[in-house]
Amino acid sequence: MKYITLLLLFSSALLGCGSKEDKAPAEVYPTVSYLKIKLDAAGHLPANPYILRFKHHKKEIVFCGVNHLPDNNDTENQMFKAIEKAFFEFKPDVCVNEGGDVSKKVFSSKKEAIQKDGEIGLTKVLADSLKIKTVNGDMTDSLEFKELLKRYTTGEFLAYIVTERFMWGQRSPITDSVAFKANYAKFIQGYIMKTGGVKLSPEEQTLNFFEASYQKLLNRPFKLEELEPTNPFDPKGKFQEIGRASKEIRDQNLLRTIDNLLKTHDKVFVVFGGWHLLTCEPGLKQIISKSE
């Protein structure tokens, strides 16, 4: 009996030690709901770029929120000039960009960078001019998908992601259904499954499964020529809800990235979609207020 009691005490001690090593839950930063942020009737920001500055002691954040341009060939657009002006006035220690890791990209000129990657390319060229790092403020697709699949079924997830990240890049009417289906299969297998790490059954990989999931989610048949823009500011509909959830997940990652960078840098320059600035403003204020 004594042996059993000692064994139980020893086991409890081990479990107690293990619990101390458990990771603390990730901090959840305050944000403004996408249903409450203020835009004009066209969904535009107060300015493009809309720039906010956050400062506490020697720590500073300059966040350039942009309305993404439809044509990056407009290399002389005022948006690009304003970003460049803010950058050199601020002289940051590090940059945060949207749209993936561009740290290894090399552009021959500012014009080429803008034409290829818009404000993301411009941010990289500006960072290179001061020999500072660019850091991706977006999370990996696999992490985003993992979080979305905790909240939504596979069918709901695919109905949204495939529409947003594949169908919008297609041109209607589709005249070559064989090529279209082949490209769809590549998207599912290459992006959703390989890059995104989502396990799908053979049935879930089919175009028929997507179309059926889309119809169930939106209560209308899928027609490429009748796609409507995802509006995260529309409170009606689960499709819009998933869009908001996707953005909220990305917002938390962006705020976490900025928070971590301020631990090792004093001046952080951010170029991101303007909606993210409006919703992340409370989190940015919290981050800068606790910095030293």
Side-chain angles (χ1 to χ4, degrees), residues 4 10 41 59 64 67 70 112 117 124-125 134 150 155-156 175 219 246 261:
I4 295 174
F10 181 67
K59 300 290 185 178
C64 296
N67 276 326
E112 180 202 23
D117 283 324
K124 178 60 166 64
V125 168
T134 53
K150 290 178 182 177
E156 291 168 340
T175 55
N219 297 313
S246 173
L261 286 172

Side-chain angles (χ1 to χ4, degrees), residues 12-155:
S12 298
L14 284 178
L15 288 171
C17 291
S19 64
K20 291 178 182 177
E21 295 176 0
D22 288 345
K23 292 182 179 179
E27 181 174 357
V28 178
Y29 300 91
T31 57
V32 177
S33 167
Y34 277 88
L35 297 177
K36 293 182 179 179
I37 64 175
K38 296 179 181 179
L39 301 167
D40 65 19
H44 292 157
L45 304 165
N48 191 25
Y50 181 52
I51 302 175
L52 292 182
R53 293 170 172 81
F54 307 86
K55 180 176 173 62
H56 185 245
H57 299 316
K58 65 180 181 178
K59 300 290 185 178
E60 294 182 74
I61 304 165
V62 169
F63 196 127
C64 296
V66 304
N67 276 326
H68 303 295
L69 299 180
D71 183 7
N72 288 333
N73 286 315
D74 183 11
T75 58
E76 296 300 314
N77 190 282
Q78 182 60 35
M79 182 189 82
F80 299 125
K81 293 180 180 180
I83 291 172
E84 185 171 357
K85 181 175 183 290
F87 176 87
F88 285 114
E89 286 178 351
F90 186 47
K91 293 185 175 62
D93 301 323
V94 66
C95 291
V96 178
N97 66 270
E98 189 172 9
D101 181 8
V102 296
S103 60
K104 292 183 173 61
K105 282 195 175 184
V106 178
F107 299 101
S108 61
S109 67
K110 181 172 67 177
K111 182 177 181 180
E112 180 202 23
I114 292 173
Q115 287 176 326
K116 286 187 175 179
D117 283 324
E119 68 276 1
I120 300 170
L122 173 62
T123 304
K124 178 60 166 64
V125 168
L126 295 175
D128 287 348
S129 72
L130 294 186
K131 295 181 172 57
I132 62 175
K133 290 194 308 181
T134 53
V135 175
N136 177 24
D138 267 322
M139 67 199 315
T140 63
D141 296 305
S142 59
L143 284 175
E144 180 191 357
F145 294 172
K146 183 179 179 181
E147 290 301 313
L148 285 173
L149 285 166
K150 290 178 182 177
R151 310 182 192 187
Y152 302 102
T153 67
T154 301

Side-chain angles (χ1 to χ4, degrees), residues 177-196:
S177 61
V178 174
F180 177 75
K181 288 181 179 178
N183 287 333
Y184 179 83
K186 288 179 183 177
F187 176 83
I188 292 294
Q189 293 164 14
Y191 178 61
I192 300 294
M193 298 180 69
K194 185 176 180 181
T195 301

